[in-house]
Amino acid sequence: MFLPVKQAECSAILNRLIKMVEMILEYSVKTLFQELDFDELRKLVEADLAPLLDRRKIKKAIEELFQLPFLERTEALCAFCNDVEFQRHIDDTNYQLHQRSARGSGSGAYMEVLNQLCNELYDAVDVKKGIVMSEIQRDGKKIKVPFNIRLLKEQYQRENGENGCVCPVCVRDNLFDLGEGQADHYFSRKKFPALAFHPFNLLPVCSDCNGALKGVKNPIDSVDIGAGELCTVFLPYVRPGKNEIKFGVSEDCERRIVMKKGPNGDSYTEKRIENMERLFHLGKRWNRELGYVYDDLMAELNREGGRGRNREERLADLRRILRDHANSTKDRRDFVKGIYCAWLQTKTDIELSELFQNLKFDNRST
Ligand SMILES: [Zn+2]
């Protein structure tokens, strides 16, 4: 999670599903001595969501919830309520998410039931199909449209301007091409079932970032699992890396992008960078662009004024180019160029001349 991005407005619809699960879990605790009554449960749920209760697998998950001992049901409710509040606890050193163990054993029967209930619900709703209706403003009127990936994509792009079409992790462009960049889970929905349809856990990322690189890996390092674990990671929407990271370029001849704690970072920033690198290998992927960036800058500089210009004029050209490129996030190449240019801006004229030896400065006037 690197770029600061805003959620698509319609993703707030997912809060209705969260409320629905919370209500089912509460009902399972309140009705301790009663049989499970689906008709009663249906009346408690919002009318347009009620058909979800009749889906075979969801019904089965609810039945299994009611077969749990009372204590486990309360644990399921507490775990769910705790986890769905995660975005409010990102700096809380006492806070911890409930994690389901890989094979499902050892994490309590209630975690298995939560896993079934939340994941079946996610599959049933599936943002592609658009079962749940979302209210949106169109031509000054409020209308109901299905909550689906098209709407999510349109709104996400509109909300995020220049960042709306690039991967918020690696800054690769054409985010939504080839059907990628859908609602990807930052915390795996199998390990963290309560976050299966959490609007702060769903982030469109490119297939490079979501596929072999991250997969279902836990953003939290195994040694950090425990109280305060969220402090150790960057988080979609609420704690993007860009706000805390200062970029540089290594001084050795290899020229690598270096990420360090910036002025807005805190005592966890270095750890967060480490965790982001473990998941996405951004340094390595961005470094590949550096070679092209240098060539791009040389070409641009030569277009500016040709070889007839003197040293001062060419340096002024270069400084202007560097200023123009710093802070770009249009695509990955431009972004890396921005890092490189921002680093070059910190150099003296002599250092710049050395770095750009190929400039063949016309020395007549110096
Ligand atoms: Zn990416």
Side-chain angles (χ1 to χ4, degrees):
M1 181 60 241
F2 174 70
L3 286 180
V5 284
K6 290 183 197 147
Q7 289 172 356
E9 198 188 346
C10 64
S11 60
I13 194 89
L14 297 166
N15 290 324
R16 293 177 59 206
L17 293 175
I18 290 176
K19 281 273 160 268
M20 177 172 128
V21 175
E22 209 174 301
M23 204 281 309
I24 295 170
L25 295 169
E26 268 173 15
Y27 178 71
S28 82
V29 172
K30 281 185 197 149
T31 54
L32 174 61
F33 299 111
Q34 285 173 29
E35 287 287 301
L36 165 60
D37 182 343
F38 266 101
D39 288 334
E40 202 182 325
L41 192 55
R42 223 173 270 115
K43 281 181 213 150
L44 296 171
V45 172
E46 289 182 72
D48 60 336
L49 299 182
L52 288 168
L53 297 178
D54 295 322
R55 301 222 158 198
R56 190 174 56 81
K57 287 180 176 173
I58 293 173
K59 204 168 187 173
K60 189 165 166 273
I62 296 173
E63 281 163 357
E64 281 182 17
L65 168 71
F66 274 76
Q67 278 160 22
L68 287 179
F70 178 70
L71 201 62
E72 294 259 342
R73 290 189 220 174
T74 54
E75 293 222 49
L77 175 62
C78 290
F80 187 80
C81 292
N82 173 79
D83 290 6
V84 294
E85 292 275 296
F86 86 97
Q87 80 278 13
R88 298 195 186 149
H89 295 272
I90 62 169
D91 294 313
D92 185 343
T93 51
N94 294 312
Y95 186 81
Q96 183 179 359
L97 290 166
H98 291 77
Q99 194 181 149
R100 180 176 162 256
S101 62
R103 286 183 204 89
S105 59
S107 43
Y110 70 93
M111 281 305 279
E112 282 317 291
V113 168
L114 268 190
N115 176 47
Q116 280 183 34
L117 182 60
C118 296
N119 277 300
E120 292 302 345
L121 202 53
Y122 177 80
D123 288 339
V125 171
D126 194 325
V127 289
K128 283 179 218 161
K129 293 177 198 148
I131 290 171
V132 183
M133 301 301 273
S134 175
E135 212 168 59
I136 63 158
Q137 287 274 358
R138 194 166 279 172
D139 303 327
K141 282 186 210 152
K142 271 192 176 174
I143 55 162
K144 281 198 168 184
V145 293
F147 171 71
N148 60 24
I149 192 67
R150 224 184 85 219
L151 182 68
L152 197 77
K153 179 183 138 179
E154 277 170 16
Q155 290 191 348
Y156 178 88
Q157 285 182 336
R158 208 169 43 232
E159 281 292 326
N160 291 296
E162 191 182 62
N163 293 345
C165 294
V166 297
C167 172
V169 178
C170 70
V171 201
R172 206 196 83 188
D173 55 343
N174 302 324
L175 170 64
F176 292 105
D177 283 6
L178 307 167
E180 66 179 19
Q182 298 171 356
D184 303 308
H185 293 84
Y186 187 64
F187 290 102
S188 144
R189 65 189 179 109
K190 296 288 177 192
K191 276 191 188 135
F192 301 92
L195 306 184
F197 39 80
H198 198 294
F200 283 86
N201 192 38
L202 295 173
L203 180 78
V205 300
C206 76
S207 54
D208 296 345
C209 288
N210 196 40
L213 278 173
K214 181 180 169 289
V216 294
K217 274 186 227 151
N218 190 351
I220 301 162
D221 194 350
S222 54
V223 295
D224 296 319
I225 291 172
E229 61 190 9
L230 289 185
C231 299
T232 65
V233 287
F234 293 122
L235 292 155
Y237 309 108
V238 284
R239 184 161 51 218
K242 189 167 188 273
N243 295 353
E244 296 180 28
I245 296 173
K246 190 176 127 203
F247 289 100
V249 177
S250 68
E251 299 292 337
D252 54 30
C253 55
E254 224 181 288
R255 292 276 178 266
R256 284 169 297 107
I257 289 177
V258 189
M259 285 183 256
K260 285 190 190 145
K261 181 174 108 172
N264 296 324
D266 60 31
S267 57
Y268 288 98
T269 300
E270 300 282 357
K271 178 79 210 184
R272 289 174 197 143
I273 295 173
E274 206 180 287
N275 271 325
M276 186 172 71
E277 281 301 89
R278 181 173 55 82
L279 290 189
F280 299 112
H281 307 276
L282 293 177
K284 206 168 156 195
R285 293 161 71 200
W286 288 339
N287 282 339
R288 280 187 216 129
E289 299 285 341
L290 265 180
Y292 304 112
V293 161
Y294 182 84
D295 295 344
D296 279 2
L297 287 177
M298 285 301 293
E300 203 168 329
L301 195 56
N302 283 330
R303 275 199 304 274
E304 282 287 313
R307 300 223 165 124
R309 290 162 86 78
N310 67 33
R311 181 175 182 273
E312 276 69 33
E313 285 168 337
R314 299 216 75 186
L315 270 170
D317 290 344
L318 180 57
R319 292 242 178 245
R320 192 173 54 250
I321 291 170
L322 297 183
R323 263 199 314 277
D324 288 350
H325 285 298
N327 292 320
S328 168
T329 51
K330 197 177 76 199
D331 57 35
R332 194 190 292 171
R333 172 80 63 89
D334 242 50
F335 169 71
V336 172
K337 199 185 277 180
I339 295 174
Y340 191 55
C341 290
W343 174 73
L344 289 173
Q345 278 184 303
T346 66
K347 303 285 165 198
T348 63
D349 286 353
I350 295 171
E351 287 168 326
L352 272 188
S353 304
E354 275 170 14
L355 282 163
F356 282 77
Q357 309 168 15
N358 300 350
L359 283 179
K360 295 191 178 62
F361 283 129
D362 185 336
N363 287 328
R364 275 172 304 181
S365 64
T366 57

